[in-house]
Amino acid sequence: MSFYAGERQQKIYSSGASGKRPIVPVDLTQLEEAARKKVPAKAFAYIAGGAGIGQTIQNNRTAFQSYEIIPRMLRDVSVRNTSVELFGDKLPSPLLTSPVGVLEMVHPRADIALAEATSSLGVPMIFSNQASRPMEDCAAKMGDSPRWFQLYWSKSNDLVASLLKRAEASGCSAIAVTLDTTILGWRIRDLDQAYLPFLEGKGIAQYTSDPVFQRLMDEPDDPNAPQLKPKVTLHLLKTVMQMKKNYPGGFWKNLRSDRPLKAVRKFTSIYSRPSIKWEELKFLREHTKLPIVLKGILHPDDAQKALDYGMDGLIVSNHGGRQVDGAVGTFTMLPEIIKVVDDRVPVLLDSGVRSGSDMFKAIALGAKAVCIGRPYAYGLALAGAAGVTEVLSNLMADFELNMALSGCTSIKEITPDTLRKVRY
Ligand code: FNR
C-alpha cells in the first residue's frame, strides 16, 4: 500500500478551489475542540480527560519540544519511501492506531468504522479489549490489512486464553498487553460527571462475545470484588435499559433477560488483576504463538525485564496521561529505553503524538513506529470512517513532508543526528 503526501495536498487544495473545506480540521490539536462541540459532555470528558489535573497530558506534549529537527539541503528527495516492516507486516508509514475503548460513545459504527478506515490505508489497527464491537466483526471488514489485539489481564486466566485464541483466529499479527491499567486512574473529569461507560454495558463487546465469559457469567461473582449498589431511581432504570440495548441481540430480545446486568456485574468483578507480576508473562507465552508486546513501559529497567522475559516488543506509553498524574512524558524516556533495548526488539511510542514532526522525532531517536489515540477518536466523532481516514492520511502526509524537507528519503535515514537536544 503506497501513500503520497503530494496527492493528499493536491486533493485538499483542489477541493478548496471548488469551495470545499476538509471534513475534519487538519490540525490534530484543533480536532479536540471540534469534537467537544459534537459529542455528549460525558463522552467528551471520558475521551479527553487524563489522570488528576492532567499534568501527564501536558508532559507528553512538552517532551516533544525538548528536541528540534535540523533540516539538511540539496539531497534529492524527489522519491520517498515511508514504509516500515513490523512483525511481518509492511506498513505504509510508521503509524498504528492505539487501542481506544468504548468508541460507541462517539459514533454508532464505532470499531467497525475504524476497521474500515485503517484497512483502507493499510494502517494497523490495535483492537481494544474494551471495544464496542467484537474483534471478529472488525476483522471481517479488513481483508489482509494488519491488526493486533490489546489485552487487559483479567482475573480469569481462562478468559485471557480465550481472547488470545480469538485474536489468533482473527488474523492478528501481535498481542499488546497493557500493563499500566490494572486499576483505573483517578480521572477527575469522569468523577465529576459520575460517569463510567462500562456500567451502561458499553465497551464490553469482547467479553459478551466470548464463550468463556458467557460461562463465567453463570458462576458466582468474586465476593471481594467491589459491589455497586445504586439506589433505584428513574436514571437507574434508564441505565438498565441502556445495558439491555447494548447487550448482543438488542433491547427487545433482552427485555426480560437478566444477562445484560449479569454481564456488567461480571465484567466489573473480573476485568483486571492488580496482583499481576512479571513471572505471569510465561502464561501468555504458553498460550500464544504471536509476538507479545508490552504496552505501558516507561522505565529502562522495566524494558530490560521485558527482554529478560522474552517479550517481542515494547510500547513506551503512559496511556495518554490517563493513569498517573505528573508522570514523565513518553518521548522523554525514549532514548534511555532505546539504549537498553539495543535493537533487540521493536520499540513503539504513543501518548501525545500530534504531528508528523512528532513522528519524525520519535523515529529519529529509535522508535520503530508511533501510535495515536484520541485524534482518530475525534475524527470518528466528527465524520465516521471518513473522518478517521482523514486524520490518519493527514498525519502520514505531514510525516512524509517533514521527512523529505529534512533531507531524508527513507526511514533509515532518520537518525539521531537529524535532531538537536534543546539547551535551556
Ligand atoms: C485509551 N487507551 C487505551 N489503551 C488500552 O490499552 N486499551 C484501551 O481500551 C484503551 N482505551 C482508551 C480509551 C480512551 C478514550 C483513550 C483516550 C485512551 C490508551 C490508548 O491506547 C493510548 O495509549 C493513548 O490514547 C495514546 O495517547 P493519545 O494519542 O490519546 O495522546
Side-chain angles (χ1 to χ4, degrees):
M1 185 97 38
S2 54
F3 182 86
Y4 298 105
E7 283 174 19
R8 178 85 200 128
Q9 276 175 316
Q10 249 167 25
K11 193 173 158 207
I12 295 175
Y13 290 136
S14 68
S15 299
S18 318
K20 257 181 80 180
R21 291 279 205 89
I23 57 170
V24 301
V26 173
D27 179 344
L28 296 191
T29 57
Q30 292 290 313
L31 265 175
E32 179 166 319
E33 181 51 19
R36 187 185 63 76
K37 293 183 187 145
K38 172 117 192 225
V39 301
K42 285 177 178 174
F44 183 73
Y46 184 76
I47 295 169
I53 57 171
Q55 186 61 48
T56 308
I57 294 181
Q58 209 174 312
N59 292 350
N60 283 334
R61 287 300 310 140
T62 49
F64 283 104
Q65 293 165 11
S66 61
Y67 279 83
E68 289 170 343
I69 303 166
I70 315 165
R72 301 295 305 273
M73 302 298 132
L74 300 173
R75 288 183 156 193
D76 184 2
V77 292
S78 52
V79 180
R80 282 99 59 181
N81 183 353
T82 55
S83 68
V84 289
E85 225 183 278
L86 191 55
F87 300 127
D89 293 319
K90 190 159 184 221
L91 281 46
S93 183
L95 175 69
L96 296 85
T97 55
S98 296
V100 167
V102 213
L103 289 174
E104 71 207 271
M105 287 195 308
V106 297
H107 196 277
R109 297 192 66 241
D111 308 84
I112 303 294
L114 177 59
E116 287 170 358
T118 51
S119 60
S120 74
L121 296 167
V123 170
M125 167 175 173
I126 307 183
F127 300 147
S128 163
N129 207 149
Q130 299 312 132
S132 297
R133 302 285 177 265
M135 61 183 109
E136 291 81 0
D137 294 6
C138 293
K141 299 278 178 189
M142 297 181 73
D144 290 336
S145 193
R147 78 287 314 246
W148 298 11
F149 175 67
Q150 172 265 320
L151 177 82
Y152 279 130
W153 206 312
S154 156
K155 286 201 179 74
S156 162
N157 265 353
D158 285 354
L159 177 60
V160 169
S162 177
L163 289 166
L164 294 175
K165 217 165 86 190
R166 289 172 60 198
E168 288 183 359
S170 300
C172 292
S173 314
I175 301 292
V177 194
T178 301
L179 304 178
D180 55 25
T181 310
T182 56
I183 307 168
L184 214 58
W186 185 250
R187 299 182 185 165
I188 57 179
R189 287 170 76 169
D190 296 336
L191 292 162
D192 274 337
Q193 298 273 355
Y195 179 65
L196 192 62
F198 310 112
L199 302 186
E200 289 182 343
K202 292 185 172 138
I204 59 170
Q206 308 290 21
Y207 300 80
T208 52
S209 58
D210 192 282
V212 170
F213 184 79
Q214 284 290 339
R215 193 194 75 214
L216 293 171
M217 274 166 62
D218 294 322
E219 293 177 9
D221 288 333
D222 172 4
N224 299 319
Q227 298 287 321
L228 296 166
K229 290 203 171 116
K231 249 172 78 179
V232 179
T233 59
L234 195 63
H235 193 274
L236 181 67
L237 293 178
K238 266 172 71 183
T239 306
V240 171
M241 303 230 287
Q242 274 290 337
M243 285 181 200
K244 289 178 188 276
K245 186 169 152 254
N246 290 321
Y247 194 75
F251 181 75
W252 291 109
K253 188 163 172 248
N254 294 309
L255 186 61
R256 287 172 202 290
S257 165
D258 65 347
R259 292 195 80 70
L261 260 119
K262 265 191 169 170
V264 169
R265 230 180 15 236
K266 182 58 70 178
F267 164 73
T268 54
S269 81
I270 67 162
Y271 108 95
S272 81
R273 197 189 314 177
S275 63
I276 197 84
K277 289 171 82 168
W278 286 94
E279 296 77 52
E280 285 162 86
L281 290 172
K282 288 181 190 143
F283 177 88
L284 293 190
R285 186 47 89 209
E286 284 159 14
H287 283 80
T288 184
K289 292 196 170 52
L290 294 176
I292 303 171
V293 178
L294 300 187
K295 178 173 184 280
I297 297 292
L298 288 166
H299 198 294
D301 291 354
D302 281 349
Q304 180 57 55
K305 265 197 132 112
L307 295 174
D308 296 344
Y309 279 88
M311 297 294 105
D312 303 291
L314 305 177
I315 305 179
V316 181
S317 172
N318 55 31
H319 215 96
R322 296 163 72 77
Q323 286 300 96
V324 175
D325 193 19
V328 65
T330 52
F331 185 68
T332 303
M333 295 313 296
L334 185 64
E336 287 176 61
I337 290 177
I338 290 292
K339 192 164 169 221
V340 163
V341 170
D342 194 22
D343 243 357
R344 285 175 284 177
V345 298
V347 175
L348 283 68
L349 175 141
D350 82 7
S351 303
V353 175
R354 295 293 178 268
S355 68
S357 143
D358 296 343
M359 281 177 75
F360 183 96
K361 291 176 186 179
I363 303 300
L365 291 194
K368 183 83 178 172
V370 302
C371 318
I372 56 161
R374 293 181 184 88
Y376 78 74
Y378 297 141
L380 179 69
L382 292 169
V388 178
T389 307
E390 292 267 313
V391 168
L392 298 176
S393 303
N394 289 342
L395 187 55
M396 290 196 289
D398 184 9
F399 170 66
E400 185 193 316
L401 292 177
N402 264 289
M403 180 178 101
L405 293 167
S406 302
C408 304
T409 58
S410 70
I411 300 294
K412 69 174 188 326
E413 291 174 16
I414 308 177
T415 52
D417 57 320
T418 58
L419 304 184
R420 283 291 181 278
K421 194 164 173 40
V422 177
R423 295 183 216 293
Y424 295 103

